Coordinates of all heavy atoms in Angstrom, one line a residue:
R1 N 126.1 99.4 121.3 CA 127.5 98.9 121.3 C 128.1 99.1 122.6 O 128.9 98.2 123.1 CB 128.2 99.8 120.2 CG 129.6 99.4 120.1 CD 130.2 100.2 118.9 NE 131.6 100.1 119.0 CZ 132.5 100.8 118.3 NH1 132.0 101.5 117.3 NH2 133.7 100.7 118.4
F2 N 127.8 100.2 123.3 CA 128.5 100.4 124.6 C 127.6 100.1 125.8 O 128.0 99.9 126.9 CB 129.0 101.8 124.7 CG 130.1 102.2 123.7 CD1 129.8 103.0 122.7 CD2 131.3 101.6 123.8 CE1 130.7 103.3 121.7 CE2 132.3 101.9 122.8 CZ 132.0 102.7 121.8
V3 N 126.3 100.3 125.6 CA 125.3 100.0 126.7 C 124.1 99.3 126.1 O 123.9 99.3 124.9 CB 124.8 101.4 127.3 CG1 125.9 102.1 128.0 CG2 124.1 102.3 126.3
R4 N 123.3 98.6 127.0 CA 122.2 97.9 126.6 C 121.0 98.7 126.3 O 120.1 98.4 125.5 CB 121.8 96.8 127.6 CG 122.9 95.7 127.7 CD 122.5 94.7 128.7 NE 122.7 95.1 130.1 CZ 122.6 94.4 131.1 NH1 122.2 93.2 131.0 NH2 122.9 94.9 132.3
H5 N 120.8 99.8 127.0 CA 119.6 100.6 126.9 C 119.9 102.1 126.7 O 119.5 102.9 127.5 CB 118.7 100.4 128.1 CG 118.3 99.0 128.3 ND1 117.3 98.4 127.5 CD2 118.7 98.1 129.3 CE1 117.2 97.2 128.0 NE2 117.9 97.0 129.0
P6 N 120.5 102.5 125.6 CA 120.8 103.9 125.4 C 119.6 104.8 125.3 O 119.5 105.9 125.8 CB 121.6 104.0 124.1 CG 121.2 102.7 123.4 CD 120.9 101.7 124.4
N7 N 118.5 104.3 124.7 CA 117.3 105.1 124.6 C 116.7 105.4 126.0 O 116.2 106.5 126.2 CB 116.2 104.4 123.7 CG 115.0 105.2 123.5 OD1 115.2 106.3 123.0 ND2 113.9 104.7 123.8
Y8 N 116.7 104.4 126.9 CA 116.1 104.7 128.2 C 116.9 105.7 129.0 O 116.3 106.5 129.7 CB 116.0 103.4 129.0 CG 114.9 102.4 128.5 CD1 115.2 101.1 128.1 CD2 113.6 102.9 128.3 CE1 114.3 100.3 127.7 CE2 112.6 102.0 127.8 CZ 113.0 100.7 127.5 OH 112.0 99.9 127.0
A9 N 118.2 105.7 128.8 CA 119.0 106.7 129.5 C 118.7 108.1 129.0 O 118.5 109.0 129.7 CB 120.5 106.4 129.2
V10 N 118.5 108.2 127.7 CA 118.1 109.5 127.1 C 116.7 109.9 127.5 O 116.5 111.1 127.8 CB 118.2 109.5 125.5 CG1 117.7 110.7 124.9 CG2 119.7 109.2 125.1
V11 N 115.8 109.0 127.6 CA 114.4 109.3 128.0 C 114.5 109.8 129.4 O 113.8 110.8 129.8 CB 113.5 108.1 127.9 CG1 112.2 108.2 128.7 CG2 113.2 107.8 126.4
L12 N 115.2 109.2 130.3 CA 115.3 109.7 131.7 C 115.9 111.1 131.8 O 115.4 111.9 132.5 CB 116.1 108.7 132.5 CG 116.1 108.9 134.0 CD1 114.7 108.8 134.5 CD2 116.9 107.8 134.7
V13 N 117.0 111.3 131.0 CA 117.6 112.7 131.1 C 116.6 113.7 130.5 O 116.5 114.8 131.1 CB 118.9 112.7 130.2 CG1 119.4 114.1 130.0 CG2 120.0 111.8 130.9
E14 N 115.9 113.4 129.4 CA 115.0 114.3 128.8 C 113.8 114.6 129.8 O 113.4 115.7 130.0 CB 114.4 113.6 127.6 CG 113.3 114.5 126.9 CD 112.7 113.8 125.7 OE1 112.5 112.5 125.8 OE2 112.4 114.5 124.8
A15 N 113.3 113.6 130.5 CA 112.2 113.8 131.5 C 112.7 114.6 132.7 O 111.8 115.2 133.3 CB 111.7 112.4 132.0
I16 N 113.9 114.7 132.9 CA 114.4 115.6 134.0 C 114.8 117.0 133.5 O 114.4 118.0 134.1 CB 115.7 114.9 134.7 CG1 115.3 113.6 135.4 CG2 116.4 115.9 135.6 CD1 116.4 112.8 135.9
V17 N 115.4 117.0 132.4 CA 115.9 118.3 131.8 C 114.7 119.2 131.3 O 114.7 120.4 131.6 CB 116.9 118.1 130.7 CG1 117.3 119.4 130.0 CG2 118.2 117.5 131.3
L18 N 113.8 118.7 130.6 CA 112.7 119.5 130.1 C 111.9 120.3 131.1 O 111.7 121.5 131.0 CB 111.8 118.7 129.1 CG 112.4 118.4 127.8 CD1 111.4 117.5 127.0 CD2 112.7 119.7 127.0
P19 N 111.5 119.6 132.2 CA 110.7 120.4 133.2 C 111.7 121.4 133.9 O 111.2 122.5 134.2 CB 110.3 119.4 134.2 CG 110.2 118.1 133.5 CD 111.3 118.2 132.4
L20 N 112.9 121.1 134.1 CA 113.9 122.1 134.7 C 114.1 123.3 133.8 O 114.1 124.4 134.2 CB 115.2 121.4 135.0 CG 115.2 120.4 136.2 CD1 116.6 119.8 136.3 CD2 114.8 121.1 137.5
F21 N 114.1 123.0 132.5 CA 114.3 124.1 131.5 C 113.2 125.1 131.5 O 113.4 126.3 131.4 CB 114.5 123.5 130.1 CG 114.8 124.5 129.0 CD1 116.0 125.1 128.9 CD2 113.8 124.8 128.1 CE1 116.2 126.0 127.9 CE2 114.0 125.7 127.1 CZ 115.2 126.3 127.0
H22 N 112.0 124.6 131.8 CA 110.8 125.4 131.8 C 110.4 125.8 133.2 O 109.3 126.4 133.4 CB 109.6 124.7 131.1 CG 109.9 124.5 129.6 ND1 109.8 125.5 128.7 CD2 110.2 123.4 129.0 CE1 110.1 125.0 127.5 NE2 110.3 123.7 127.6
G23 N 111.2 125.5 134.2 CA 110.9 125.9 135.6 C 109.7 125.2 136.2 O 109.1 125.6 137.1
A24 N 109.4 124.0 135.7 CA 108.2 123.2 136.2 C 108.7 122.2 137.2 O 108.7 121.0 136.9 CB 107.5 122.6 135.0
F25 N 109.1 122.7 138.4 CA 109.7 121.8 139.4 C 108.7 120.8 139.9 O 109.0 119.6 140.1 CB 110.3 122.6 140.5 CG 111.3 123.6 140.0 CD1 111.1 124.9 140.0 CD2 112.6 123.1 139.5 CE1 112.0 125.8 139.5 CE2 113.5 124.0 139.0 CZ 113.3 125.3 139.0
L26 N 107.5 121.2 140.1 CA 106.4 120.3 140.6 C 106.2 119.2 139.6 O 106.0 118.0 139.9 CB 105.2 121.0 141.0 CG 104.0 120.1 141.5 CD1 104.5 119.4 142.8 CD2 102.8 121.0 141.8
T27 N 106.1 119.6 138.3 CA 106.0 118.6 137.2 C 107.1 117.6 137.2 O 106.9 116.4 137.1 CB 105.9 119.3 135.9 OG1 104.8 120.2 135.9 CG2 105.7 118.3 134.7
L28 N 108.3 118.1 137.4 CA 109.5 117.2 137.5 C 109.3 116.1 138.6 O 109.4 114.9 138.3 CB 110.7 118.0 137.7 CG 112.0 117.2 138.0 CD1 112.4 116.4 136.8 CD2 113.1 118.1 138.5
V29 N 108.9 116.5 139.7 CA 108.8 115.6 140.9 C 107.6 114.6 140.6 O 107.8 113.4 140.7 CB 108.5 116.4 142.2 CG1 108.2 115.4 143.3 CG2 109.8 117.2 142.5
V30 N 106.5 115.1 140.2 CA 105.3 114.2 140.0 C 105.5 113.3 138.9 O 105.3 112.1 139.0 CB 104.0 115.1 139.7 CG1 102.9 114.2 139.3 CG2 103.7 115.9 141.0
V31 N 106.0 113.8 137.7 CA 106.2 112.9 136.6 C 107.3 111.9 136.9 O 107.1 110.7 136.5 CB 106.6 113.8 135.3 CG1 107.1 112.9 134.2 CG2 105.4 114.6 134.9
Q32 N 108.4 112.2 137.5 CA 109.4 111.2 137.8 C 108.9 110.2 138.9 O 109.2 109.0 138.8 CB 110.7 111.9 138.3 CG 111.4 112.6 137.2 CD 111.6 111.8 136.0 OE1 112.1 110.6 136.0 NE2 111.3 112.3 134.8
F33 N 108.1 110.7 139.8 CA 107.6 109.8 140.8 C 106.7 108.7 140.1 O 106.7 107.5 140.5 CB 106.7 110.6 141.8 CG 106.1 109.7 142.9 CD1 106.9 109.2 143.9 CD2 104.8 109.4 142.9 CE1 106.4 108.4 144.9 CE2 104.2 108.7 143.9 CZ 105.0 108.2 144.9
L34 N 106.0 109.1 139.1 CA 105.1 108.1 138.3 C 105.9 107.4 137.2 O 105.6 106.2 137.0 CB 104.0 108.9 137.7 CG 103.0 109.6 138.7 CD1 102.0 110.4 137.9 CD2 102.3 108.5 139.6
H35 N 106.9 108.1 136.7 CA 107.6 107.5 135.5 C 108.6 106.5 135.8 O 108.7 105.4 135.2 CB 108.2 108.7 134.7 CG 108.9 108.3 133.5 ND1 110.3 108.4 133.3 CD2 108.4 107.7 132.3 CE1 110.6 107.9 132.1 NE2 109.5 107.5 131.5
I36 N 109.4 106.7 136.9 CA 110.5 105.8 137.2 C 110.0 104.4 137.5 O 110.6 103.4 137.0 CB 111.4 106.4 138.3 CG1 112.2 107.5 137.8 CG2 112.3 105.3 138.9 CD1 113.0 108.3 138.8
P37 N 109.0 104.1 138.3 CA 108.5 102.7 138.5 C 108.1 102.0 137.2 O 108.4 100.9 137.0 CB 107.4 102.8 139.5 CG 107.6 104.1 140.1 CD 108.2 105.0 139.2
V38 N 107.4 102.8 136.3 CA 107.0 102.2 135.0 C 108.2 101.9 134.2 O 108.3 100.8 133.6 CB 106.1 103.2 134.3 CG1 105.8 102.8 132.9 CG2 104.8 103.4 135.1
L39 N 109.2 102.8 134.2 CA 110.4 102.6 133.4 C 111.2 101.3 133.9 O 111.6 100.5 133.1 CB 111.3 103.8 133.5 CG 112.4 103.9 132.5 CD1 111.9 104.0 131.0 CD2 113.2 105.2 132.7
I40 N 111.3 101.2 135.2 CA 112.0 100.1 135.8 C 111.3 98.8 135.4 O 111.9 97.8 135.0 CB 112.1 100.2 137.3 CG1 113.1 101.3 137.7 CG2 112.5 98.9 138.0 CD1 113.1 101.7 139.1
A41 N 110.0 98.7 135.6 CA 109.2 97.5 135.2 C 109.4 97.2 133.7 O 109.6 96.0 133.4 CB 107.7 97.7 135.5
R42 N 109.3 98.2 132.9 CA 109.5 97.9 131.4 C 110.9 97.4 131.1 O 111.0 96.5 130.3 CB 109.2 99.2 130.7 CG 109.3 99.0 129.2 CD 108.9 100.3 128.5 NE 109.2 100.1 127.1 CZ 108.6 100.7 126.1 NH1 107.7 101.6 126.4 NH2 108.9 100.5 124.9
I43 N 111.9 98.0 131.7 CA 113.3 97.6 131.4 C 113.5 96.1 131.9 O 114.1 95.3 131.2 CB 114.3 98.5 132.1 CG1 114.3 99.9 131.3 CG2 115.7 97.9 132.1 CD1 115.0 101.0 132.0
L44 N 113.0 95.8 133.1 CA 113.2 94.5 133.6 C 112.5 93.4 132.8 O 113.0 92.3 132.5 CB 112.7 94.4 135.1 CG 113.6 95.2 136.1 CD1 112.9 95.1 137.5 CD2 115.0 94.7 136.1
A45 N 111.3 93.7 132.3 CA 110.5 92.8 131.5 C 111.2 92.7 130.1 O 111.4 91.5 129.6 CB 109.1 93.3 131.2
E46 N 111.7 93.7 129.6 CA 112.4 93.7 128.3 C 113.7 92.9 128.4 O 114.0 92.0 127.6 CB 112.8 95.1 127.8 CG 113.4 95.2 126.5 CD 113.6 96.6 126.1 OE1 112.7 97.4 126.2 OE2 114.8 96.9 125.6
E47 N 114.5 93.1 129.5 CA 115.7 92.4 129.7 C 115.4 90.9 129.9 O 116.2 90.0 129.5 CB 116.5 92.9 130.9 CG 117.1 94.2 130.6 CD 118.6 94.2 130.9 OE1 119.0 93.5 131.8 OE2 119.3 94.8 130.1
R48 N 114.4 90.6 130.7 CA 114.1 89.2 130.9 C 113.9 88.4 129.6 O 114.3 87.3 129.4 CB 112.8 89.1 131.8 CG 112.6 87.8 132.4 CD 111.5 87.7 133.5 NE 110.5 88.8 133.4 CZ 110.4 89.9 134.2 NH1 111.4 90.0 135.2 NH2 109.5 90.8 134.1
Y49 N 113.1 89.1 128.7 CA 112.9 88.5 127.3 C 114.2 88.4 126.5 O 114.6 87.4 126.0 CB 111.8 89.2 126.6 CG 111.7 88.8 125.1 CD1 111.2 87.5 124.8 CD2 112.2 89.6 124.1 CE1 111.2 87.1 123.5 CE2 112.2 89.1 122.8 CZ 111.7 87.9 122.5 OH 111.7 87.5 121.2
L50 N 114.9 89.6 126.4 CA 116.0 89.6 125.6 C 117.2 88.7 126.0 O 117.9 88.1 125.2 CB 116.5 91.1 125.5 CG 115.7 92.0 124.7 CD1 116.1 93.4 124.8 CD2 115.6 91.6 123.2
M51 N 117.3 88.6 127.3 CA 118.4 87.7 127.8 C 118.1 86.2 127.6 O 119.0 85.4 127.7 CB 118.7 88.0 129.3 CG 119.4 89.2 129.6 SD 121.1 89.1 128.9 CE 121.8 90.6 129.5
S52 N 116.8 85.9 127.3 CA 116.5 84.5 126.9 C 116.9 84.2 125.5 O 117.0 83.0 125.2 CB 115.0 84.3 127.1 OG 114.3 85.0 126.0
L53 N 117.3 85.2 124.7 CA 117.8 85.0 123.4 C 119.3 84.9 123.4 O 120.0 85.8 123.8 CB 117.3 86.1 122.5 CG 115.8 86.4 122.5 CD1 115.6 87.6 121.6 CD2 115.1 85.2 121.9
Q54 N 119.9 83.8 122.9 CA 121.3 83.6 123.0 C 122.1 84.6 122.3 O 123.1 85.1 122.8 CB 121.7 82.2 122.4 CG 123.1 81.8 122.6 CD 123.5 81.7 124.1 OE1 122.7 81.1 124.9 NE2 124.7 82.2 124.4
P55 N 121.8 85.1 121.1 CA 122.6 86.1 120.4 C 122.6 87.4 121.2 O 123.7 88.0 121.3 CB 121.9 86.3 119.0 CG 121.1 85.1 118.8 CD 120.7 84.6 120.1
Y56 N 121.5 87.8 121.8 CA 121.5 89.0 122.6 C 122.4 88.8 123.8 O 123.1 89.7 124.2 CB 120.1 89.4 123.0 CG 120.0 90.7 123.8 CD1 120.0 91.9 123.2 CD2 120.0 90.6 125.2 CE1 119.9 93.1 123.9 CE2 119.9 91.8 125.9 CZ 119.9 93.0 125.3 OH 119.8 94.2 126.0
R57 N 122.2 87.7 124.5 CA 123.0 87.4 125.7 C 124.5 87.4 125.4 O 125.3 88.0 126.2 CB 122.6 86.1 126.3 CG 123.0 85.9 127.7 CD 122.4 84.7 128.4 NE 122.3 83.4 127.6 CZ 121.2 82.9 127.1 NH1 120.0 83.4 127.4 NH2 121.2 81.8 126.4
D58 N 124.9 86.8 124.3 CA 126.3 86.8 123.9 C 126.8 88.2 123.6 O 128.0 88.6 124.0 CB 126.5 86.0 122.6 CG 126.3 84.5 122.9 OD1 126.3 84.1 124.1 OD2 126.1 83.8 121.9
A59 N 126.0 89.1 123.0 CA 126.5 90.4 122.6 C 126.4 91.4 123.8 O 127.2 92.3 123.9 CB 125.6 90.9 121.4
M60 N 125.4 91.3 124.7 CA 125.2 92.3 125.6 C 125.3 92.0 127.1 O 125.2 92.9 127.9 CB 123.7 92.8 125.5 CG 123.4 93.4 124.1 SD 124.4 94.9 123.9 CE 123.7 95.6 122.6
S61 N 125.6 90.7 127.4 CA 125.6 90.4 128.8 C 126.7 91.1 129.6 O 126.6 91.2 130.8 CB 125.8 88.9 129.0 OG 127.0 88.4 128.4
D62 N 127.8 91.5 129.0 CA 128.9 92.2 129.7 C 128.8 93.7 129.6 O 129.7 94.4 130.1 CB 130.2 91.7 129.2 CG 130.5 92.1 127.8 OD1 129.5 92.2 127.0 OD2 131.7 92.3 127.4
K63 N 127.7 94.2 129.1 CA 127.6 95.7 128.9 C 126.7 96.2 130.0 O 125.7 95.6 130.4 CB 127.0 96.0 127.5 CG 127.9 95.4 126.4 CD 127.8 96.2 125.2 CE 128.6 95.8 124.1 NZ 129.5 94.7 124.2
P64 N 127.0 97.4 130.5 CA 126.1 98.0 131.5 C 124.8 98.5 130.9 O 124.7 98.6 129.7 CB 126.9 99.3 131.9 CG 127.8 99.6 130.8 CD 128.1 98.3 130.1
R65 N 123.8 98.7 131.7 CA 122.5 99.0 131.2 C 122.4 100.4 130.6 O 121.8 100.6 129.6 CB 121.4 98.9 132.3 CG 121.0 97.6 132.6 CD 119.8 97.5 133.5 NE 119.4 96.2 133.7 CZ 119.0 95.6 134.8 NH1 119.0 96.4 135.9 NH2 118.7 94.4 134.9
F66 N 122.9 101.5 131.3 CA 122.6 102.8 130.9 C 123.9 103.7 130.6 O 123.9 104.4 129.6 CB 121.8 103.6 132.0 CG 120.5 102.9 132.3 CD1 120.4 102.3 133.5 CD2 119.5 102.8 131.4 CE1 119.2 101.6 133.8 CE2 118.3 102.2 131.7 CZ 118.2 101.6 132.9
L67 N 124.9 103.6 131.4 CA 126.1 104.5 131.3 C 127.2 103.6 130.8 O 127.6 102.6 131.4 CB 126.4 105.1 132.6 CG 125.3 106.0 133.2 CD1 125.7 106.5 134.6 CD2 125.0 107.2 132.3
P68 N 127.9 104.1 129.7 CA 129.1 103.3 129.3 C 130.2 103.4 130.3 O 130.3 104.4 131.0 CB 129.5 104.1 128.0 CG 128.8 105.4 128.0 CD 127.6 105.3 128.9
R69 N 130.9 102.3 130.4 CA 132.1 102.3 131.3 C 133.4 102.3 130.5 O 134.1 101.3 130.5 CB 131.9 101.1 132.3 CG 131.7 99.8 131.6 CD 131.7 98.7 132.6 NE 131.1 97.5 131.8 CZ 130.6 96.5 132.4 NH1 130.5 96.4 133.7 NH2 130.1 95.5 131.7
F70 N 133.7 103.4 130.0 CA 134.9 103.6 129.2 C 136.1 103.4 130.0 O 137.2 103.0 129.6 CB 135.0 104.9 128.5 CG 133.8 105.1 127.5 CD1 132.9 106.1 127.6 CD2 133.7 104.2 126.4 CE1 131.9 106.3 126.7 CE2 132.7 104.4 125.5 CZ 131.8 105.4 125.6
W71 N 136.0 103.8 131.3 CA 137.1 103.8 132.2 C 137.3 102.4 132.9 O 138.3 102.2 133.6 CB 136.9 104.9 133.3 CG 135.7 104.7 134.0 CD1 135.5 104.0 135.2 CD2 134.4 105.2 133.7 NE1 134.1 104.0 135.5 CE2 133.4 104.8 134.6 CE3 133.9 105.9 132.6 CZ2 132.1 105.1 134.6 CZ3 132.5 106.2 132.5 CH2 131.7 105.8 133.5
I72 N 136.3 101.5 132.8 CA 136.4 100.2 133.4 C 136.3 99.1 132.3 O 135.4 99.1 131.6 CB 135.3 100.0 134.4 CG1 135.3 101.1 135.5 CG2 135.3 98.6 135.1 CD1 134.1 101.0 136.4
P73 N 137.3 98.2 132.3 CA 137.2 97.2 131.2 C 136.1 96.2 131.5 O 135.7 96.0 132.6 CB 138.6 96.5 131.3 CG 139.1 96.8 132.7 CD 138.5 98.1 133.1
S74 N 135.5 95.8 130.4 CA 134.4 94.8 130.5 C 135.0 93.5 131.0 O 136.2 93.2 130.9 CB 133.7 94.6 129.2 OG 134.5 93.9 128.3
P75 N 134.2 92.6 131.5 CA 134.7 91.3 132.0 C 135.4 90.5 130.8 O 136.5 89.9 131.1 CB 133.5 90.5 132.4 CG 132.5 91.6 132.9 CD 132.8 92.8 131.9
K76 N 134.9 90.6 129.6 CA 135.6 89.9 128.5 C 137.0 90.5 128.2 O 137.9 89.8 128.0 CB 134.7 90.0 127.2 CG 133.5 89.1 127.2 CD 132.7 89.3 125.9 CE 131.5 88.4 126.0 NZ 130.7 88.6 124.8
D77 N 137.1 91.9 128.2 CA 138.3 92.5 128.0 C 139.3 92.2 129.1 O 140.5 92.0 128.9 CB 138.2 94.0 127.9 CG 137.4 94.4 126.6 OD1 137.4 93.6 125.6 OD2 136.8 95.5 126.6
A78 N 138.8 92.2 130.3 CA 139.7 91.9 131.5 C 140.2 90.4 131.4 O 141.4 90.2 131.7 CB 139.0 92.1 132.8
A79 N 139.4 89.5 130.9 CA 139.9 88.1 130.7 C 140.9 88.0 129.6 O 141.9 87.3 129.7 CB 138.7 87.2 130.4
K80 N 140.8 88.8 128.6 CA 141.7 88.8 127.5 C 143.1 89.4 128.0 O 144.1 88.9 127.6 CB 141.2 89.7 126.3 CG 140.1 89.0 125.5 CD 139.7 90.0 124.4 CE 138.4 89.5 123.8 NZ 137.9 90.4 122.8
A81 N 143.1 90.4 128.8 CA 144.3 91.0 129.3 C 145.1 90.1 130.2 O 146.3 90.1 130.3 CB 143.9 92.3 130.1
V82 N 144.4 89.2 130.9 CA 145.0 88.2 131.8 C 145.8 87.1 131.0 O 146.8 86.7 131.4 CB 144.0 87.6 132.8 CG1 144.6 86.5 133.6 CG2 143.4 88.6 133.7
R83 N 145.3 86.8 129.9 CA 145.9 85.7 129.0 C 147.2 86.1 128.5 O 147.7 87.0 128.3 CB 145.0 85.4 127.9 CG 143.7 84.7 128.3 CD 142.9 84.3 127.1 NE 141.5 84.2 127.5 CZ 140.5 84.1 126.7 NH1 140.8 84.1 125.4 NH2 139.3 83.9 127.1

């Protein structure tokens, strides 16, 4: 509802927090070094497919990928406010 990829945001936070919680700093660096490029490729491939679907594009094109922007109006809301 607020972001396009809430699960990926949680996965990224989890991959950072769990090694820190256990004091595995080297694991954090190595895993993120390997994980982030894979995550980026997967998200871009998924978005390429989903944006080709009109219902998804209509519902999600104005939403940010990971972090909700409660403090910034979406382009659709901004257009409504101008009218």
Side-chain angles (χ1 to χ4, degrees):
R1 179 174 164 186
F2 299 109
V3 294
R4 290 184 282 189
H5 299 289
N7 185 54
Y8 290 125
V10 171
V11 165
L12 190 57
V13 169
E14 178 184 37
I16 293 170
V17 170
L18 283 176
L20 287 177
F21 182 75
H22 294 286
F25 302 109
L26 182 60
T27 300
L28 170 67
V29 172
V30 171
V31 168
Q32 290 308 314
F33 181 74
L34 299 171
H35 183 246
I36 288 176
V38 171
L39 195 61
I40 290 170
R42 182 176 173 154
I43 290 168
L44 292 176
E46 184 177 313
E47 286 237 325
R48 197 171 20 257
Y49 169 71
L50 289 172
M51 285 297 187
S52 72
L53 305 173
Q54 188 63 42
Y56 181 85
R57 195 169 45 247
D58 291 343
M60 296 296 194
S61 64
D62 66 330
K63 301 209 177 1
R65 280 192 176 137
F66 304 111
L67 300 174
R69 52 179 165 199
F70 297 120
W71 57 90
I72 302 172
S74 71
K76 286 182 184 177
D77 293 338
K80 288 178 189 176
V82 173
R83 292 183 202 167

